[in-house]
Amino acid sequence: MERERNNGIDLLRIIAMFFVVILHALGHGGVLDNVETGSPQYSLAWALEIIAYPAVDTFALITGYVSFSQRHPYSLAKTCAGYSTTWLQVVYYCVLITIALQIINTKWITISDLIYSFFPVTNNMYWYFTAYTGVIVLSPLITAGVRGLSNKSAVYILIIILLVFSLFDSFSMRFSLNSGYSVIWLLLLYCVGAIMKKICAPEKLTKGKCVLCILILYILTWCWKIFIGGDIKIMTLSLTNDSLVSYTSPTIICISILYLALFAQIKTGPITTSVIRFLAPGAFSVYLLNDNRLIRAHYIEGRFDMIVVENSWHLFLIIVCFAIAFTIIALFVDKPRQLLFNKMLIKKRIEKCADRLIG
C-alpha cells in the first residue's frame, strides 16, 4: 500500500530548497565575504543567512522522517529503486548542464568535465548527494535500530544526539563532523527524523509553540553572531561568533526540528494541495541546478558582491527575489525530466529488477 503523502512536508521541501538558493547567493555569490562588518548590510545579510541556514538539516530530517515506518516492512528493492532514480536524476542534470554550457561557450568545458558528469559520487559533484549515498547504505540499520527502541529510549537517544553531537561538537569539534558537511552528520539527522516519526513528535508540539521557539532561536543565533566578538575560551572549549552558524549548531538543528514538527501538522485545501503536489517532485532539482559546480563557477560565484554597497533593504530584496525566481524556474525546468522518467517507468523497472536479484 502506498503511504499517504504529507502535503505540509512536501511544502517544507520546497521552502528548504528556496533557503538553499539564498545560502548560495550570499555565500558563493560573495555577499558575506565583501559586506562591511558592523554595517546595516552586514546585519541584514547575516539575518538572511541565519534564516536560511536550517535548510540542509531540514531536508535531511525529512528523509529520515518520511522513510521511517513502524508498520510497513522494510523493502530493500524500494530503497534501491529510490536511490537509483535519484542517482539518474543527478547524472541527468550533470550531463545536461555540461552539454548546455559547451554549446554556450566551448572554452568553459573540457572533455574531463563531460566524463566527470557521469560519475557524480566518485567525483563528488554534489557534497550532499555523496553524503546521502552513505546514508542510504546504512539506513536499514538505523531504521531497524529505531524500530527496536521504546518511545522513552528513543527520546533519550534524540536528546543525547543533540547534546553530544550538536552542542558539544559545536564548541570542541571532537567528532570530525566538518561543520555538518559529512555523511556522519546526515546519518545522525536521518536518525533524528526517524525518531521524530516514531514518537509522533509533531503531535506533541502545537503550531504556536513551534513558531515561538523558532523565532526565539533565530534571534538568539543572530544576536550571537552580530554581538559576540572574539574568542571565548573555557578550558579546551572555544566559542566564537560563528559557533552557532553551522549545520551542527544546536540552535540551527533545533530550528530544523521545529520546522519539521510545524509543517507536519499543516493541512492544505484542494487547490493548495494540487499546487504542492505539482511542484514538490522538482524540489531536489532546485539544488542540483543551483549547486552544479559549472553553474556555480560561471553564473553565481562573485555575481552578488556588488550589491553590498546597496541600501540594506535593496540587498534583501535582490537576494530574496533572485531566490524566488530561481526556485520557481528550476521547479518548472524539471518538469520535462519528470515526464521522461515517468514515461520510461524508471523507478518501477529498477524496483522490479531489484526484486528479482534480491528475492
Side-chain angles (χ1 to χ4, degrees):
M1 181 183 294
E2 190 73 21
R3 299 175 199 173
E4 184 180 353
R5 295 191 69 89
N6 185 312
N7 296 317
I9 297 295
D10 281 341
L11 176 60
L12 184 57
R13 291 182 203 268
I14 298 171
I15 293 173
M17 289 301 101
F18 164 70
F19 281 168
V20 164
V21 178
I22 289 178
L23 289 176
H24 292 163
L26 291 169
H28 301 320
V31 174
L32 298 180
D33 288 336
N34 291 281
V35 71
E36 182 182 351
T37 303
S39 66
Q41 292 90 336
Y42 178 87
S43 298
L44 193 57
W46 275 105
L48 260 179
E49 176 82 354
I50 289 166
I51 287 171
Y53 226 92
V56 174
D57 285 359
T58 300
F59 210 78
L61 287 172
I62 289 173
T63 303
Y65 186 87
V66 301
S67 299
F68 181 81
S69 174
Q70 194 71 41
R71 295 176 299 167
H72 295 82
Y74 174 79
S75 171
L76 182 57
K78 286 185 177 180
T79 300
C80 290
Y83 174 78
S84 298
T85 304
T86 305
W87 183 87
L88 287 172
Q89 181 181 354
V90 174
V91 172
Y92 171 90
Y93 277 110
C94 286
V95 174
L96 186 66
I97 290 169
T98 302
I99 293 173
L101 292 184
Q102 168 67 19
I103 294 171
I104 293 171
N105 192 328
T106 56
K107 295 180 181 179
W108 288 351
I109 308 299
T110 66
I111 189 65
S112 297
D113 291 322
L114 184 59
I115 294 172
Y116 287 165
S117 64
F118 286 96
F119 304 96
V121 177
T122 304
N123 296 295
N124 197 25
M125 303 294 286
Y126 299 93
W127 79 264
Y128 185 90
F129 182 68
T130 302
Y132 171 76
T133 300
V135 172
I136 291 301
V137 171
L138 295 175
S139 62
L141 297 177
I142 296 175
T143 300
V146 173
R147 275 183 174 175
L149 293 171
S150 66
N151 280 11
K152 187 175 181 180
S153 296
V155 171
Y156 286 147
I157 293 295
L158 191 152
I159 293 171
I160 289 169
I161 288 174
L162 295 180
L163 288 177
V164 175
F165 292 101
S166 178
L167 182 62
F168 181 71
D169 195 70
S170 291
F171 305 132
S172 68
M173 299 183 182
R174 293 289 184 267
F175 298 107
S176 301
L177 298 180
N178 194 27
S179 298
Y181 292 88
S182 71
V183 66
I184 299 174
W185 182 242
L186 291 195
L187 279 167
L188 291 168
L189 292 175
Y190 184 97
C191 184
V192 170
I195 289 173
M196 288 182 67
K197 182 73 164 289
K198 178 183 177 65
I199 65 176
C200 302
E203 298 174 12
K204 297 175 174 61
L205 295 166
T206 64
K207 294 177 185 176
K209 287 180 180 178
C210 287
V211 171
L212 178 61
C213 290
I214 287 170
L215 289 174
I216 291 172
L217 289 169
Y218 268 139
I219 293 169
L220 173 62
T221 307
W222 181 79
C223 288
W224 184 280
K225 171 63 185 177
I226 299 301
F227 300 114
I228 298 295
D231 291 351
I232 302 173
K233 299 285 187 180
I234 304 175
M235 298 178 65
T236 60
L237 302 182
S238 177
L239 311 181
T240 71
N241 65 339
D242 289 323
S243 293
L244 296 184
V245 188
S246 163
Y247 295 140
T248 58
S249 158
T251 56
I252 296 300
I253 179 58
C254 286
I255 290 171
S256 302
I257 289 171
L258 289 165
Y259 267 134
L260 180 55
L262 173 64
F263 278 82
Q265 301 176 60
I266 290 177
K267 306 297 180 185
T268 58
I271 296 176
T272 307
T273 296
S274 299
V275 172
I276 292 172
R277 292 187 177 180
F278 177 76
L279 297 176
F284 190 56
S285 292
V286 176
Y287 165 72
L288 296 179
L289 285 162
N290 185 255
D291 204 37
N292 178 275
R293 64 184 184 183
L294 296 174
I295 293 287
R296 185 171 68 237
H298 297 293
Y299 292 105
I300 296 179
E301 285 183 355
R303 299 289 180 171
F304 293 90
D305 55 2
M306 76 290 293
I307 69 172
V308 299
V309 297
E310 296 282 344
N311 174 282
S312 55
W313 289 108
H314 289 172
L315 184 152
F316 174 86
L317 288 172
I318 290 169
I319 294 295
V320 170
C321 289
F322 167 77
I324 291 172
F326 191 101
T327 301
I328 292 173
I329 291 169
L331 289 171
F332 280 94
V333 164
D334 190 55
K335 284 302 167 185
R337 195 273 313 166
Q338 293 174 37
L339 291 172
L340 176 64
F341 279 30
N342 290 337
K343 190 170 183 178
M344 294 176 67
L345 301 174
I346 286 178
K347 190 171 182 178
K348 290 183 179 179
R349 289 181 178 180
I350 294 174
E351 187 176 336
K352 192 174 181 180
C353 289
D355 260 331
R356 288 176 179 174
L357 290 172
I358 297 167

